[in-house]
Amino acid sequence: EEDSKTCSVPDEVMLNIFSYLSPRDLARCAQVSNRWNQLALDPSLWPGIYPVQWATGDWSFHPSLKDDDDEECGEEATCSFFALREVRIISGLVKHVLKRVGGGVRVCNLAHSRGISSSLVHKILKLCPNLHTLSLAHTRVTDAAFKEYGLKGQVGHLEHLDLTGCENVTDATLHSLTCYSAHCQDPLPASTSGITCPQDGSSTPPVSDHDSVISDRLPSSERLVPIVHPVISLSPPPVSENSGPSHSEFHLSFLESEALIEDPTFTDLSALELCDLDCLARNICNQRSEGENSTRGCCQTRDIFGSKEGKDRNSTGKTPKRLDSGEADVRNVPKTGCCSGGEGCEGADGDGERELSVMSSATLPHSLHGLRFLSLNGCFRVQDSGLRVLSERGGLPSLQHLDLSGCLNLTGAGVARLVEACPTLDHAHLFYCDNLFPDPFPTTASGCRNLQCTTRICCRSGD
Ligand code: FES
């Protein structure tokens, strides 16, 4: 009755019509009636999410044709505006959309996102178990983004993982991605604590899962301020009312959740994760309160991942040098086993199931089992121990492209060990530092990809 003019149209036809709509239009359609809400949030209509380009007004389910490498922020105010909008869109997706459509999302492109945090990435990964393409290139995400990733049943789906320029990523990320023991409670090595930049000696504090990406970039006058929410109809329009919700009631789509920031000097993006109770998608959250699914995240529970301590400060942006061996050792990544050796893992006493899980860790497929493309370009904190985790956990049997350029702390032996565990890797698509010693594949591999690029880390950049 609510949409009497369309109620006779079969769902299949409606879905076909909706398949021509943009994500923003789908979000608007989802606010028309319960039936339209069900149809518009059908997982088949959401094959990918592109919050960064959506924030620029390009509401498309296809990647922008713009070259990411050429993308630059212009005016600071403009940069801040887009960053803020990204945060709203990503928050809206995480809170209200992905819970419904996450199973259908195959592509997540967050490259160059200025608004993404590790916490949000962690939630996206949790809500989109079937992702096969993930790009976090040139973001400030940390290892916390991938915490427990391998434990959530996301086995073998990832085919394309782009971590280009993710300077805060360490061995712990590779560790988490290949951890699949149901009993691993702590895939992150304890040593994700601070690291000293080899270039200028500055100390990077422990990476926080709540890296405040926005607030420290905004001038104090432009930081997020309290937002007065417009009145929004939370329910489909009553049948008796011919006049549907006004246009103004729709302008705050649940794709763009407003931030509830009370303190204009806030420094923690977790504040953005408070539930927008005025959102039309509140009925989604109600499923949680009804106990339908106790594991589904609900923003009303304030169940926010990770700690809220300390802001994550990025590196200075200068080209780092290799770490001294003494510095490299502090990461303390375990050589074998399914995780960092936390309770319940290798060596710990346990029941038969746990032992089986640990014993078979070398043969069970991990989440990178089907990976074809891997770029750690510029992830200078990754070391041989991280690559060893990949090679010792079954390798990457489907890998065809591997970029290790700018990983200044790798050795020739470490790269060779991983490449040996990648039987399908085409050496024409194998990139690593030209100064690697010993050079494991001097005549077959391609050289460093960063030499001609001023934005990527390269030991020959002249610094
Ligand atoms: Fe060494 Fe580019 S990273 S040559």
Side-chain angles (χ1 to χ4, degrees):
E1 293 178 356
E2 292 164 352
D3 54 332
S4 56
K5 291 184 180 176
T6 59
C7 63
S8 59
V9 180
D11 286 355
E12 296 75 22
V13 176
M14 291 291 289
L15 284 173
N16 189 274
I17 295 171
F18 281 179
S19 69
Y20 291 94
L21 301 183
S22 71
R24 185 171 58 174
D25 292 336
L26 284 176
R28 287 171 172 165
C29 288
Q31 302 173 54
V32 172
S33 67
N34 286 332
R35 182 179 178 230
W36 278 42
N37 182 280
Q38 292 292 327
L39 292 169
L41 294 181
D42 188 283
S44 65
L45 299 177
W46 297 79
I49 54 175
Y50 304 87
V52 179
Q53 74 180 55
W54 292 353
T56 66
D58 182 0
W59 294 93
S60 167
F61 279 118
H62 303 289
S64 169
L65 296 178
K66 276 192 297 185
D67 187 353
D68 286 348
D69 288 345
D70 294 338
E71 193 170 311
E72 278 196 9
C73 211
E75 297 277 320
E76 186 178 353
T78 308
C79 186
S80 301
F81 170 79
F82 285 125
L84 200 53
R85 199 161 180 209
E86 279 175 24
V87 174
R88 289 175 178 166
I89 291 175
I90 296 170
S91 296
L93 282 169
V94 167
K95 284 190 288 190
H96 308 302
V97 178
L98 294 182
K99 291 170 185 173
R100 296 272 294 277
V101 309
V105 175
R106 298 286 187 274
V107 179
C108 175
N109 190 344
L110 292 164
H112 295 278
S113 173
R114 296 172 287 270
I116 194 65
S117 69
S118 297
S119 170
L120 287 172
V121 173
H122 181 265
K123 290 182 176 177
I124 290 173
L125 295 178
K126 211 170 173 182
L127 293 168
C128 304
N130 298 317
L131 270 185
H132 70 60
T133 296
L134 174 64
S135 177
L136 296 170
H138 303 290
T139 61
R140 302 177 66 186
V141 295
T142 69
D143 298 320
F146 297 94
K147 186 179 182 185
E148 299 174 349
Y149 179 78
L151 307 182
K152 301 298 181 185
Q154 293 139 314
V155 173
H157 294 306
L158 265 185
E159 295 182 7
H160 183 112
L161 178 59
D162 190 351
L163 297 176
T164 298
C166 294
E167 299 177 5
N168 293 324
V169 163
T170 75
D171 293 350
T173 286
L174 303 178
H175 214 60
S176 299
L177 286 168
T178 54
C179 184
Y180 42 81
S181 166
H183 301 281
C184 285
Q185 299 299 317
D186 179 19
L188 290 178
S191 57
T192 48
S193 55
I195 187 171
T196 302
C197 174
Q199 173 71 8
D200 59 5
S202 65
S203 177
T204 302
V207 285
S208 163
D209 48 346
H210 272 283
D211 40 352
S212 300
V213 183
I214 300 301
S215 59
D216 54 353
R217 294 186 181 183
L218 301 180
S220 57
S221 59
E222 295 180 14
R223 289 188 178 176
L224 301 179
V225 294
I227 293 171
V228 178
H229 284 248
V231 177
I232 296 181
S233 171
L234 297 178
S235 311
V239 181
S240 57
E241 293 182 12
N242 292 327
S243 57
S246 68
H247 178 71
S248 61
E249 290 172 324
F250 281 155
H251 91 276
L252 186 61
S253 159
F254 60 45
L255 265 181
E256 293 186 61
S257 288
E258 293 284 7
L260 297 176
I261 309 301
E262 296 180 359
D263 179 4
T265 61
F266 92 108
T267 56
D268 192 339
L269 275 184
S270 64
L272 293 174
E273 307 194 26
L274 298 176
C275 182
D276 178 358
L277 295 176
D278 289 337
C279 178
L280 266 171
R282 189 167 62 175
N283 61 335
I284 301 171
C285 295
N286 288 341
Q287 294 177 10
R288 168 68 175 81
S289 59
E290 290 166 6
E292 180 180 298
N293 187 347
S294 61
T295 60
R296 175 179 291 171
C298 177
C299 40
Q300 294 190 44
T301 65
R302 303 290 193 272
D303 181 19
I304 296 172
F305 166 72
S307 67
K308 299 179 181 179
E309 58 192 36
K311 290 198 305 178
D312 173 24
R313 284 189 283 119
N314 205 346
S315 64
T316 61
K318 296 181 180 178
T319 304
K321 296 175 182 176
R322 296 171 190 278
L323 294 174
D324 294 336
S325 57
E327 292 171 324
D329 286 339
V330 300
R331 248 68 68 83
N332 192 29
V333 175
K335 296 179 180 179
T336 59
C338 55
C339 76
S340 58
E343 275 189 46
C345 296
E346 185 182 26
D349 293 335
D351 53 26
E353 186 183 353
R354 173 185 302 170
E355 290 169 6
L356 177 63
S357 178
V358 172
M359 287 172 61
S360 57
S361 63
T363 54
L364 287 174
H366 50 67
S367 54
L368 299 183
H369 194 74
L371 201 66
R372 298 173 186 271
F373 177 103
L374 174 62
S375 175
L376 297 174
N377 184 337
C379 300
F380 67 90
R381 296 168 198 273
V382 171
Q383 301 178 67
D384 284 354
S385 48
L387 301 189
R388 186 168 54 220
V389 168
L390 294 178
S391 56
E392 290 188 352
R393 293 179 183 172
L396 302 171
S398 306
L399 198 69
Q400 297 172 355
H401 180 112
L402 176 62
D403 191 346
L404 299 172
S405 288
C407 295
L408 308 180
N409 292 299
L410 298 180
T411 66
V415 172
R417 187 187 301 117
L418 175 59
V419 171
E420 285 170 9
C422 304
T424 59
L425 179 62
D426 180 355
H427 284 206
H429 300 291
L430 169 62
F431 304 90
Y432 54 78
C433 173
D434 285 346
N435 291 335
L436 210 62
F437 182 81
D439 190 335
F441 308 100
T443 58
T444 56
S446 298
C448 177
R449 294 191 91 193
N450 297 356
L451 283 170
Q452 306 301 324
C453 179
T454 56
T455 61
R456 298 194 187 113
I457 291 173
C458 180
C459 61
R460 290 184 178 176
S461 64
D463 244 339

